[in-house]
Amino acid sequence: MTVAAVDDDLWSAIGDPTRRRMLDLLLATGAGTATSLSEQLPVTRQAIAKHLGVLDRVGLVHAAPAGRERRYRVDEAQLARAVAQLSSVGAAWDARLRRIKRIAETLERS
């Protein structure tokens, strides 16, 4: 995977700290509703619902009807894709930093 293959929409969704905390809670509990998540976070149920909509659009969560609410679960395959992208970006930056270090060491010796 190249850095160009990074999904900007996915990382924009993950970039929000509230959404990351929601993903943590869903992973810890297996599933949750907007109501159950709002009881654990300092934001309203309506804000949670909007955040869940963002996560759903990028495929990080999927909803199933649960009475009058929707129960959300993390899509582990999409989360693994995000982790792979992050690893790819990290590896690319590590390679850049090694090149910069070599150049600096060469300049220092000259």
Side-chain angles (χ1 to χ4, degrees):
M1 176 174 299
T2 65
V3 175
V6 171
D7 183 334
D8 290 334
D9 290 335
L10 177 66
W11 284 102
S12 178
I14 293 173
D16 183 276
T18 299
R19 290 192 282 265
R20 286 194 307 273
R21 181 69 180 122
M22 290 169 56
L23 287 171
D24 288 342
L25 289 169
L26 291 172
L27 285 167
T29 60
T33 63
T35 300
S36 68
L37 291 168
S38 69
E39 291 168 353
Q40 301 175 67
L41 295 167
V43 291
T44 65
R45 184 197 173 288
Q46 290 78 14
I48 294 292
K50 287 182 181 183
H51 284 297
L52 287 167
V54 171
L55 293 171
D56 190 37
R57 278 191 298 281
V58 297
L60 281 168
V61 299
H62 296 292
R68 291 178 19 184
E69 290 201 271
R70 297 172 59 94
R71 181 165 296 282
Y72 290 84
R73 294 186 187 283
V74 173
D75 182 313
E76 293 187 19
Q78 183 71 331
L79 185 58
R81 181 173 163 254
V83 169
Q85 286 182 14
L86 184 58
S87 294
S88 175
V89 168
W93 275 103
D94 287 345
R96 287 181 186 121
L97 291 172
R98 282 191 301 273
R99 284 193 301 272
I100 290 169
K101 181 181 178 192
R102 282 193 306 269
I103 291 167
E105 289 170 343
T106 301
L107 291 173
E108 189 175 279
R109 283 186 294 235
S110 312

